[in-house]
Amino acid sequence: MERSKREKVLEITASVVGVIALLITAVGYPQVGFVVALFASTLYAVYGFLTKQYGIMVSSLIYGVVEVIGIIRWVFLGKSGG
């Protein structure tokens, strides 16, 4: 399947944003990391939809749910672990 330049850029951008989210979380800022990861999952969902790769779209939506739970726990409930 040949991808357009826009789709390639979207895939690379989603990957870079996802790695940045992991790094932010790893250095001790999970509140910010989960929000950035949610943005990356949104980009992946759009990429999956545009390229008709519905497995990627569904898995990114599932990851998005996990990130929303993380945001609720860390940002709104102030959980610091365990």
Side-chain angles (χ1 to χ4, degrees), residues 13-64:
T13 303
S15 296
V16 169
V17 172
V19 169
I20 290 171
L22 286 172
L23 291 172
I24 291 170
T25 303
V27 297
Y29 299 99
Q31 300 90 340
V32 178
F34 278 116
V35 174
V36 176
L38 183 60
F39 181 64
S41 289
T42 304
L43 292 175
Y44 271 119
V46 170
Y47 171 78
F49 179 77
L50 291 176
T51 59
K52 296 182 176 38
Q53 296 183 57
Y54 300 114
I56 291 174
M57 186 177 72
V58 170
S59 65
S60 65
L61 293 173
I62 293 168
Y63 277 112

